[in-house]
């Protein structure tokens, strides 16, 4: 196994090199005692952080922004003790970890648990089974993941399935920074029904870079050696934006997405949606400028919405190692963005990039896509414009309120976790009758964006399947308000993207074009703007699982649903009992 170093140069201060050895294992008295257990301590606490000349109290884990990196081995049991020292409720989600039979550790508030209250502690206890690669963790309560997030790295049991020798692993985590209090931004949005204030900067590893005010000192400079190959572990933890990323004069070879190996392909840039991860190989094979030895790496939004957005770019630098002192500042402005960085509205690039993604589908890493399905759900996804209630002030378009929905159902979180209600057979707080097709058939991507009646219904609806069901979900974008690229995340399961297209899904024609040989396997799919995506799932994980848009504003507006996988007849097909320290409601 190659060494794992995370190198950050906080310009003008010092070069920091963080080795990340695996935490020591210990025995456990839990049901996971037959495998190594990795213990981590997460303290939820406030920390003063300064960016863009603004200092504010930021919710953090262990005072770090971004939060600490978790590194484990494939097959490890993981126990993360979360102690909430802040005057806020919170939960933590282990994004992409399948949580086999351990839905109690999944984290979305009021779906699989009630929040961890102030002064309380909860141990997230789960095993990483048959997964390896790059994932992430983040808060799953309100908009807390604006600052509460970090990398989740799983070392594989076997060598990488690509031959390139890797010199080092480099985490690249994208985020967003607000000068304002993020809670206040969300609260105002929900109070008046308008769009949220946009972020003030994008960040790379928590650093905005020199294109923003007061940020030259907050610039990432990653040192590499010429002729060496590096594995970039790229994570989009931004709240509300898909992003393009490129490194000037360099190509990237994609080898993994969402902790699943892919057929390698070389690209000039990538598109990555919130919640997605992409591992790429970068070879330092260029001749650097003698005065700086640096190349710009940049990320900016992929724009598919008419709503206001953060129209800015974050940059860092790839610095070739030289004999000069490492204590250096970024080169002086002006800065030239990489010519290979796609323009913000380059849907053609985003589409071509997504179409190149294929599962490795090898003997060691087979692609177990369902060839036939036993249940198909077709759901619209999109925005809604709700009539303003009498005697209220609404700040959405035409003085109405913005909402979002799936099959015209705008999701409302219950007051008790759905998983508890399901496990104890309480049958309260939710319904299991989510509509399996749109309530009205119409030209989903051709309607007038504002002339149609877009009032939604409000509900807490799920659908149920038996253990082992071969499931297909067709996600259909709509033209209401505007068509948009929606990153849809499924908890508790990976899925296979068997088909994608623009316009309306045609059930009589489109399935004939599905890729059932080597479709990409993910946990978050970017549904094409004004189009559709069909995903297939082996529903083999008992529990209650959230499905939602990973644009946080859309989830707040209700673009979510969920599904329940019933326990199977065998004991190993059943949801485990709740832990003794499970947070009460």
């Amino acid at each position: 196994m190659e060494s794992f170093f995370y190198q950050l140069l906080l310009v003008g201060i010092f070069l920091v090199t963080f080795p990340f050895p695996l935490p020591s294992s210990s025995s456990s008295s839990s049901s996971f005692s037959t495998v190594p257990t990795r213990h981590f301590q997460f303290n939820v606490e406030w920390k003063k952080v300064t960016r863009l000349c603004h200092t504010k109290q930021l919710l953090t884990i262990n005072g770090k922004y971004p939060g600490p990196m978790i590194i484990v081995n494939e097959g490890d049991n993981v126990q993360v003790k979360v102690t909430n020292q802040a005057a806020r409720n919170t939960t933590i989600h282990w994004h992409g970890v399948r949580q086999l039979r351990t839905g109690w550790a999944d984290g979305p508030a009021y779906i699989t648990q009630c929040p961890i209250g102030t002064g309380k502690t909860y141990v997230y206890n789960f095993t990483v089974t048959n997964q390896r690669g790059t994932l992430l963790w983040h808060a799953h309560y309100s908009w807390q993941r604006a600052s509460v997030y970090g990398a989740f790295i799983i070392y594989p049991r076997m060598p990488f399935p690509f031959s390139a020798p890797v010199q080092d692993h480099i985490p690249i985590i994208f985020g967003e920074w607000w000068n304002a209090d993020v809670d206040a931004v969300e609260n105002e949005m929900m109070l008046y029904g308008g769009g949220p204030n946009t972020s003030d900067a994008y960040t790379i590893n928590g650093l905005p870079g020199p294109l923003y005010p007061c940020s030259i000192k907050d610039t990432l400079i990653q040192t590499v050696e010429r002729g060496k190959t590096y594995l970039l572990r790229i994570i989009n933890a931004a709240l509300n934006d898909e992003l393009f990323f490129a490194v000037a004069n360099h190509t990237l070879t994609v080898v993994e997405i969402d902790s699943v190996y892919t057929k390698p392909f070389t690209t000039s840039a990538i598109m990555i949606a919130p919640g997605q991860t992409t591992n790429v190989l970068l070879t330092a094979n260029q001749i650097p400028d003698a005065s700086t030895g640096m190349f710009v790496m940049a990320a900016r939004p992929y724009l598919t919405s008419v709503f206001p957005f953060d129209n800015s770019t974050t940059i860092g630098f790839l610095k070739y190692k030289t004999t000069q002192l490492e204590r250096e500042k970024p080169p002086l402005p002006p800065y030239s963005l990489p010519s290979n960085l796609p323009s913000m509205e380059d849907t053609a690039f985003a589409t071509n990039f997504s179409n190149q993604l294929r599962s490795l589908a090898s003997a060691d890493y087979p692609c177990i896509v369902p060839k036939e399905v036993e249940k198909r759900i077709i759901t619209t996804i999109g925005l809604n414009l709700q009539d303003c209630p009498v005697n209220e002030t609404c700040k959405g378009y035409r003085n109405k309120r913005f909402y979002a929905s799936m099959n015209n159902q705008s999701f409302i979180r219950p007051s008790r976790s759905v998983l508890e209600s399901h496990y104890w057979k309480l049958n309260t707080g939710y319904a299991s009758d989510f509509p399996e097709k749109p309530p009205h058939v119409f030209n989903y991507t051709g309607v007038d964006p504002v002339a149609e009646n877009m009032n939604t219904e409000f509900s807490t609806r799920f659908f149920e399947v038996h253990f082992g069901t071969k499931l297909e979900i067709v996600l259909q974008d709509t033209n209401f308000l505007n068509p948009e690229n929606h990153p849809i995340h499924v908890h508790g399961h990976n899925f296979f993207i068997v088909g994608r297209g623009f316009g309306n899904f045609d059930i009589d024609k489109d399935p004939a074009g599905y890729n059932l040989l080597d479709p990409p396997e993910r946990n978050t799919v970017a549904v094409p703007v004004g189009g559709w995506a069909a995903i297939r799932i082996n529903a083999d994980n008992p529990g209650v699982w959230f499905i939602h848009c990973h644009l946080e504003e859309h989830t707040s507006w209700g673009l979510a649903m969920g599904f329940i996988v019933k326990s199977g007849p065998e004991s190993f097909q059943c949801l485990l009992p709740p832990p003794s320290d499970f947070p009460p409601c």
Side-chain angles (χ1 to χ4, degrees), residues 95-96 135 258 275 488-490 493-495 521-525:
H95 185 111
L135 294 171
D258 291 4
I488 302 297
H489 175 47
V490 177
H493 295 77
N494 279 3
F495 52 74
E521 182 180 350
R522 307 205 75 143
N523 61 63
T524 303
V525 56

Side-chain angles (χ1 to χ4, degrees), residues 95 136 138 145 174 176 235-243 258 271-277 485-489 523-526 548-552:
H95 185 111
L136 68 152
H138 59 77
R145 72 178 178 90
F174 301 126
E176 290 182 81
I235 300 168
N236 188 351
L239 250 67
N240 293 319
D241 290 281
E242 298 96 343
L243 297 169
D258 291 4
M271 192 282 283
I272 185 167
Q276 291 184 339
T277 65
N485 187 297
H486 293 277
I488 302 297
H489 175 47
N523 61 63
T524 303
V525 56
H548 63 99
C549 184
H550 224 264
L551 303 179
E552 205 64 49

